[in-house]
Amino acid sequence: MKEILVPETSHILYNSDSRKMDKLSNESVNLVLTSPPYPMVEMWDDLFKSWDKNTKSALAKNLGNEAFEAMHLQLDKVWSECFRVLKEGGILLVNIGDATRSIGGEFSLFSNHSRILQACRNFGFSSLPDILWRKQTNSPTKFMGSGMYPVGAYVTYEHEYILVLRKGGLRKYSKSETEIRRNSAFFWEERNVWFSDIWDLKGERQIFKDVGASRERTAAFPLDFAYRLVNMFSIKGDTVLDPFLGTGTASLAALLACRNSVGYDVDEGILEIARKRLLGAMNVSSKILQNRLQSHLDFISDRKKQKKEISHKNKHYGFPVITSQETELTFESVDSSIENGHFSLKAHYSRFNLQNSSKK
């Protein structure tokens, strides 16, 4: 069997402010995947206040619109940096929710997603069709406002956005990248689910105690969410950046998908959690790949029972696939994830075997 095309990846965690990512050179990143602090969500007020005195002043005076804009002006610095470090054709993915809040006794929606979209377009990004993430994390008693009485009842928010933006036109691939791109393909049935405009994935809330982190919680997106996006919008060997890394979900997804990663966070305690997750990637790798392959084999088995045509075979594993674009895809499992410096790791890979999955 031919040797794998990307046998090693690197992963660097910077304990630094991503409003100025001077450790990254221009056009050095292929994909940015992040979920920033949400403006006008109270758990992030202290962070925004520490960044900018105008935010602190506006909140103290109950000036909601002014506080909202002041917070976003700080995030704009990060989006500008993302544009700088992304290569032509690179993708910026932003998971963001709108905020609802009462300021000075007045309840209002603060549209974070539209504000970020406009800012990024001003920086030169092109906006592409986005994804609506239905989190459904609220309790059954989730009424907002006056309950059963009109007109003071409000729609309950249970969705967030995954904004998809591109720097420049379609990405162009070198000869070697073209081969890796074929190797990085996903299954036909995965494409049909992944590239739908509404996702139903449960959100995650993590509470941190006694870990040396300065903040007690973070609204992290699930690993399945990040892993899916990394596979959708990058190829193996690419570099994935998360300017608000938190517990390292984006970097872990990149490592599992045979991509390099860079992450920024101002909280060293949170980065320590991310570091430990990356070092434990071997424990997750085989399971996530086994699930993907078994799901495909089950899909093929069901298709055969329905007597539907299957015209192609994967060259590396021998199982049937629906399209010719799937014939060269492979999966690499993590053999090791080891430190090679402070908050710096290397991961090594080998070709994933089907193990106990039968060729149906």
Side-chain angles (χ1 to χ4, degrees), residues 172-203:
K172 296 178 181 178
Y173 299 90
S174 66
K175 184 177 180 181
S176 61
E177 286 178 333
T178 299
E179 184 177 3
I180 293 172
R181 189 188 187 201
R182 290 196 293 263
N183 193 244
S184 304
F186 29 78
F187 291 122
W188 179 82
E189 67 275 13
E190 287 179 327
R191 189 255 179 249
N192 292 343
V193 173
W194 293 358
F195 285 86
S196 60
D197 63 342
I198 299 177
W199 288 8
D200 282 291
L201 291 171
K202 289 186 177 180

Side-chain angles (χ1 to χ4, degrees), residues 311-324:
S311 304
H312 303 276
K313 276 194 174 183
N314 181 273
K315 296 176 182 178
H316 303 283
Y317 298 106
F319 50 62
V321 291
I322 303 301
T323 69
S324 61

